[in-house]
């Protein structure tokens, strides 16, 4: 009988894959909430951030005790958390929701998936960083992929409304800020603590504008299940799984599994929303995924070579 091997890297890959699939499920559920149930963005974002923020901070309190508040002991980490909450988390949740509401979850997820390219582009523009050849190749492939995915091969018109495209591009940019802005706070604090405080701060601001307990939409079992799915599968479970995954596999290997998110969202949209994917759209989605992989792989190799030189 063959001996069963225990491969920790494969375990990490499987866990990371599960996290990405959950994000894909969450994106599809948001389409149900925003379109089929016609839930206003303001109410949904208020209840989502409140529920997730409370749960994350309770978990942080059990795990780290009083250290949960250390993030506010320094001015730089406090600014990092506040900017992350407003310009990263709040802005990304809002733009992604509207991108789905105005268009569909598949297109919105593809556009948000471009965030690594926006991070590199921001470095080139604002920090005068010199792009790698792999960056340029990735940008060309990504633009071609988005063009294919959003036109279905009919190059005279978009398959989604222009406002959905703009919200989706905004989602990609704010997803980049979501990654960049909390780095200072995350350097000296556990990621789940930073996420918890960012989410609860976003919740306070969302609820000042639209308290979720005032004139709520008609509550149904379907709505409760959908909101719970977004809170659990869109924030708490996948983030926790990613933290576990990085214990078993390198972060660059784990990040490759991000590609399952747009794939999952597209497949679920076909199943539940009768989205018809043409061959040219599938090619477009594949090109975007390949582009992000080339971008990440090229930068990882460049950093490795620089470390070897030192």
């Amino acid at each position: 009988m063959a001996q069963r091997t225990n491969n920790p890297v494969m375990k990490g890959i499987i866990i990371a894959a599960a996290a990405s699939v959950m994000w894909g499920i969450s994106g599809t559920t948001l389409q149900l909430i925003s379109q089929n149930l016609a839930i206003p963005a303001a109410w949904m974002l208020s209840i989502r951030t409140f529920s997730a923020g409370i749960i994350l901070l309770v978990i942080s309190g059990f795990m780290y005790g009083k250290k949960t508040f250390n993030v506010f002991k320094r001015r730089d980490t406090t600014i990092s958390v506040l900017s992350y909450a407003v310009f990263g988390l709040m802005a990304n949740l809002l733009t992604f929701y509207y991108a789905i509401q105005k268009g569909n979850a598949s297109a919105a997820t593809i556009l948000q998936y471009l965030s690594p390219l926006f991070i590199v582009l921001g470095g080139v523009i604002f920090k005068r960083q010199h792009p790698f050849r792999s960056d340029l190749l990735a940008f060309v492939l990504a633009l071609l992929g988005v063009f294919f995915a959003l036109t279905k091969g009919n190059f005279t018109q978009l398959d989604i409304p222009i406002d959905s495209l703009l919200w989706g591009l905004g989602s990609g940019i704010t997803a980049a800020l979501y990654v960049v802005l909390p780095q200072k706070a995350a350097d000296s604090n556990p990621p789940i603590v930073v996420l918890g405080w960012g989410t609860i701060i976003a919740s306070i601001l969302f609820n000042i504008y639209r308290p979720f307990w005032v004139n709520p939409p008609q509550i149904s079992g379907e709505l409760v299940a959908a909101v719970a799915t977004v809170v659990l599968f869109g924030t708490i479970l996948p983030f926790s799984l990613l933290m576990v995954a990085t214990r078993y596999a390198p972060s660059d290997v784990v990040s490759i599994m991000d590609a399952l998110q747009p794939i999952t969202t597209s497949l679920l949209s076909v199943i539940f929303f009768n989205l018809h994917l043409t061959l040219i759209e599938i090619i477009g989605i594949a090109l975007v995924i390949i582009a992000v992989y080339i971008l990440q792989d090229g930068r990882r190799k460049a950093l490795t070579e620089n470390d070897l030189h030192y």
Side-chain angles (χ1 to χ4, degrees):
M1 186 172 69
Q3 184 177 2
R4 186 177 180 183
T5 60
N6 184 14
N7 188 336
V9 174
M10 182 55 65
K11 185 183 294 185
I13 290 173
I14 293 172
I15 294 172
S20 292
V21 168
M22 287 181 182
W23 269 311
I25 293 171
S26 173
T28 309
T29 307
L30 279 175
Q31 183 168 339
L32 168 70
I33 293 171
S34 64
Q35 293 185 3
N36 295 43
L37 301 180
I39 300 301
W43 183 87
M44 177 58 198
L45 295 174
S46 293
I47 187 69
R48 176 182 182 178
T49 51
F50 175 80
S51 304
I54 292 295
I55 294 172
L56 287 167
L57 284 183
V58 168
I59 294 173
S60 298
F62 277 113
M63 293 177 65
Y64 302 105
K66 293 181 180 179
K67 293 182 180 179
T68 302
F69 297 90
N70 285 355
V71 71
F72 298 111
K73 287 186 175 181
R74 286 168 36 191
R75 183 172 178 270
D76 58 346
T77 55
T78 300
I79 293 174
S80 177
V81 169
L82 290 174
S83 60
Y84 160 63
V86 177
F87 302 108
L89 199 147
M90 279 187 71
N92 182 249
L93 291 177
L94 185 67
T95 52
F96 188 59
Y97 192 89
Y98 277 123
I100 293 175
Q101 189 175 59
K102 303 295 184 181
N104 60 67
S106 177
T109 304
I110 285 294
L111 291 169
Q112 181 173 257
Y113 191 68
L114 296 174
S115 60
L117 282 81
F118 287 118
I119 292 175
V120 172
L121 187 61
V124 172
I125 295 174
F126 298 108
K127 296 184 178 180
R128 299 291 189 268
Q129 295 175 348
H130 185 71
F132 302 139
R133 280 181 293 182
S134 58
D135 295 342
L136 300 177
L137 175 60
F139 271 95
V140 171
L141 288 177
L143 289 175
L144 189 61
V146 168
F147 188 63
F148 284 167
L150 300 185
T151 62
K152 288 189 175 182
N154 183 1
F155 303 145
T156 60
Q157 66 179 20
L158 288 171
D159 188 51
I160 59 172
I162 187 65
D163 52 353
S164 177
L165 172 63
L166 295 176
W167 282 115
L169 290 174
S171 175
I173 295 170
T174 54
L177 295 175
Y178 184 100
V179 173
V180 174
L181 292 176
Q183 287 181 353
K184 177 63 71 173
D187 286 342
S188 54
N189 295 275
I192 194 171
V193 171
V194 177
L195 176 65
W197 282 118
T199 306
I200 206 68
I201 292 168
S203 170
I204 292 171
L205 297 176
F206 275 133
N207 278 284
I208 288 174
Y209 176 75
R210 174 63 168 90
F212 70 86
W213 58 87
V214 177
N215 297 322
Q218 184 176 356
I219 304 299
S220 64
E222 186 179 20
L223 177 59
V224 171
V227 172
T229 299
V230 171
V231 170
L232 292 174
F233 283 22
T235 305
I236 297 168
L237 290 179
F239 185 80
S240 301
L241 287 175
L242 276 186
M243 288 197 298
V244 174
T246 54
R247 296 178 183 176
Y248 295 102
S251 58
D252 57 315
V253 175
V254 169
S255 66
I256 295 173
M257 292 298 101
D258 289 345
L260 289 178
Q261 181 182 351
I263 293 173
T264 301
T265 303
S266 297
L267 289 176
L268 291 176
S269 296
V270 169
I271 296 171
F272 294 105
F273 297 107
N274 297 318
L275 178 68
H276 177 64
L277 288 178
T278 63
L279 178 60
I280 196 74
E281 281 182 285
I282 295 172
I283 293 173
I285 293 171
L287 285 175
V288 171
I289 292 171
I290 292 170
V292 172
Y293 172 77
I294 290 174
L295 181 82
Q296 294 174 330
D297 187 60
R299 295 203 149 244
R300 178 182 59 82
K301 289 179 179 177
L303 290 173
T304 302
E305 290 175 1
N306 288 337
D307 290 341
L308 290 176
H309 286 133
Y310 288 102

